[in-house]
Amino acid sequence: MPTSFPRARRDLIRRQLLAWYRSAQRDLPWRRTRDPYRIWLSETMLQQTRVDSVIPYYERFLERFPDVQALALADEQDVLRAWSGLGYYARARNLKRAAECIVRDHAGELPRAAEQLAALPGVGPYTVGAIRSIAFGERAAVVDGNVARVLSRLLAAPELAPAHLWRIAEELVPRAAPDQFNQALMELGALLCVPRSPACPRCPLSGCCAAYATGRPEDYPAPLPKPKPREVEAISGLLERGNGRQRALLLLRRPSKGLLGGLWELPSVAGDRPEALLASLHERTGLRARAQGELGRVRHIFSHRALTLRVVRLSRPSGRLRPGSDARWCSPSELQGLPLSALMKKTLRLAKY
DNA sequence: AATTCGGGGGT
DNA sequence: ACCCCAGAATT
C-alpha cells in the first residue's frame, strides 16, 4: 500500500514550504537567472557536490563558456581544465557532448520535452525534472538526496523505493510555482532537515512531520549499507628533462573513459614496484629511464578506493617520445594549462611544482 | 540491482 | 573517523 499525502495535507505542505522559502532561501548565482543553459550547468555541477564547492567553478565556467554554442565549439581538454578539481569528470565530458547535440539537433536551445532532455548525455531523471521545472516552469518533480530525506521524514517511512519517492514528489509539486517548490524542498533538506541533528524547531513542516512526531527524526531514512573503500597501491614517477628555463616534466593523459578520464598525470602504474613503472613508461611512450629514490607518499581517498601513491624520482630519460602517445614534456607554466585531478595537484605539490 | 565514478565540508 | 552531498552511466 503506497504511502502518500491526503489533499489537505498536501496543500498545507505547499503553502508552508513556499512561505518559508521566500524568506529563508540563500542567494545563489543560479537563482538569479532562468537561462536554461545556466540552470543545466548548475544542476550538473551540483550532482553529488555541495553548493559551496560549486559556486567558484560555476562562475569561472560561465566566463569561459558563456553559452551552449561556446561550449559546443570548445576543446574537450579546455572543458576538463575548467572542471579540474571538481570531480566526477564524466560530467564535464558529457556536458560538452550534450552541447554538441543541442547545437546540432535543437538549434542551440535546450529542449523542454522530458524525452528530449533525457536523451542528452549526463542528463538523468533528476536533471530532467530540475531543468523542466526551474528553467521552463513546467510541473515536473525532482528527487535528490535532500528530497528523499525530507519525504522519508514527513511520512516516517524509513525505506521508500525510488519509484515511490518519485510518485510522491510528482503529486506534491504544484502547477503554480514548481520551480520555487522544488528548490524549497531541496533547500529545506540542505538547511534544516539535514541528516543529523535536524533543526526541527525552525522547520515550517514540523507540525505535519510524522518523523518529528516520533521524537527521533534522525532515524529517517534508514542509513544505506556503506562499503568501505578498498585499499589500493600505485606508484608514480617524476621524470624531468633539462634545467632552468628548459626544465620540463613528463605528463601522460589518461584514457578518456573510466577513472579520472582524460586528465593528465605523472607516469603511473598499479602496485609499488619501480621496475613495473619503468616497463609501463617504455611501453606507453617509448622512453626509458632509471629509478631513483622515493620522494614521498600521497594518501588520497576516493569514495570507493583508498589510494596510497608512492612517488619516486626518475632520471636519465633516453629515447624519443613516440608521437601520438598522449604524453608531453611540460614546463611548470604549461602544467597550469592541463586538466589535473585533485590527487595529481597534491602529488605535484609534494614534488615542488 | 550493484558498481563505478571525486572531492570536500560538516559533525 | 564517518557521513553524504541539487546523480548518471555502466555492468
Side-chain angles (χ1 to χ4, degrees):
Chain A
M1 54 177 276
T3 318
S4 187
F5 298 104
R7 172 149 45 135
R9 175 68 49 91
R10 196 173 63 203
D11 291 339
L12 180 65
I13 290 172
R14 289 171 174 170
R15 279 201 310 276
Q16 305 273 61
L17 193 56
L18 285 168
W20 170 79
Y21 183 64
R22 270 195 295 277
S23 63
Q25 65 173 286
R26 291 169 290 180
D27 177 21
L28 302 176
W30 44 88
R31 288 184 178 159
R32 294 169 167 266
T33 180
R34 293 199 69 160
D35 176 1
Y37 171 67
R38 296 182 177 227
I39 301 299
W40 170 42
L41 176 65
S42 70
E43 295 300 343
T44 303
M45 286 187 163
L46 286 162
Q47 288 166 12
Q48 298 294 288
T49 310
R50 304 196 178 258
V51 164
D52 292 338
S53 306
V54 165
I55 290 174
Y57 282 88
Y58 174 82
E59 306 279 20
R60 260 185 283 124
F61 197 97
L62 281 175
E63 282 180 33
R64 187 96 180 68
F65 311 106
D67 50 40
V68 175
Q69 182 78 16
L71 182 56
L73 292 173
D75 185 84
E76 188 195 76
Q77 286 284 301
D78 290 335
V79 179
L80 280 173
R81 187 157 55 88
W83 211 272
S84 170
L86 194 56
Y88 286 140
Y89 298 95
R91 293 184 294 178
R93 301 193 302 270
N94 286 333
L95 197 72
K96 196 252 185 295
R97 280 207 297 142
E100 294 168 358
C101 294
I102 293 166
V103 167
R104 173 167 28 85
D105 302 335
H106 304 288
E109 303 287 338
L110 265 85
R112 176 186 293 248
E115 294 75 17
Q116 297 186 356
L117 283 169
L120 298 170
V123 178
Y126 166 79
T127 308
V128 167
I131 294 174
R132 280 171 50 75
S133 60
I134 299 172
F136 295 116
E138 302 274 354
R139 182 172 184 248
V142 295
V143 175
D144 71 335
N146 291 308
V147 174
R149 185 172 56 256
V150 171
L151 294 182
S152 170
R153 285 177 177 166
L154 284 174
L155 295 162
E159 292 182 349
L160 294 172
H164 193 174
L165 283 166
W166 278 95
R167 212 161 52 237
I168 299 168
E170 281 159 7
E171 288 174 9
L172 216 44
V173 59
R175 197 173 304 283
D179 57 332
Q180 298 299 293
F181 179 82
N182 284 339
Q183 293 183 85
L185 209 47
M186 294 189 282
E187 193 80 332
L188 188 73
L191 298 183
L192 302 184
C193 196
V194 292
R196 277 164 310 185
S197 305
C200 299
R202 288 193 288 148
C203 178
L205 303 183
S206 60
C208 58
C209 178
Y212 180 62
T214 72
R216 301 180 57 94
E218 65 276 10
D219 287 352
Y220 303 88
L224 299 172
K226 32 140 196 182
K228 58 176 171 186
R230 190 163 52 90
E231 290 288 340
V232 293
E233 278 190 325
I235 180 168
S236 290
L238 190 81
L239 182 57
E240 289 175 315
R241 177 182 79 171
N243 46 43
R245 287 256 187 302
Q246 302 289 319
R247 187 170 71 130
L249 178 65
L250 186 70
L251 272 289
L252 273 56
R253 198 173 74 86
R254 295 177 62 87
S256 53
K257 288 180 185 288
L259 182 67
L260 306 176
L263 274 61
W264 292 76
E265 64 179 5
L266 296 178
S268 303
V269 67
D272 66 343
R273 295 175 47 246
E275 311 86 73
L277 176 60
L278 293 175
S280 164
L281 173 69
H282 181 248
E283 184 180 350
R284 283 201 52 190
T285 67
L287 294 178
R288 294 192 185 280
R290 303 295 179 90
Q292 304 293 83
E294 177 174 314
L295 273 166
R297 289 168 187 268
V298 178
R299 178 79 174 162
H300 192 75
I301 310 294
F302 301 100
S303 46
H304 57 298
R305 259 176 250 189
L307 173 68
T308 303
L309 181 66
R310 183 180 177 201
V311 186
V312 296
R313 183 175 290 285
L314 304 181
S315 66
R316 298 180 56 191
S318 63
R320 190 161 303 277
L321 208 51
R322 188 186 312 126
S325 58
D326 280 333
R328 51 183 281 194
W329 294 101
C330 299
S331 69
S333 63
E334 284 174 321
L335 220 46
Q336 313 306 319
L338 291 182
L340 302 171
S341 66
L343 162 65
M344 202 45 55
K345 290 179 180 176
K346 200 191 299 183
T347 306
L348 289 169
R349 276 199 298 278
L350 167 74
K352 310 283 193 243
Y353 272 87

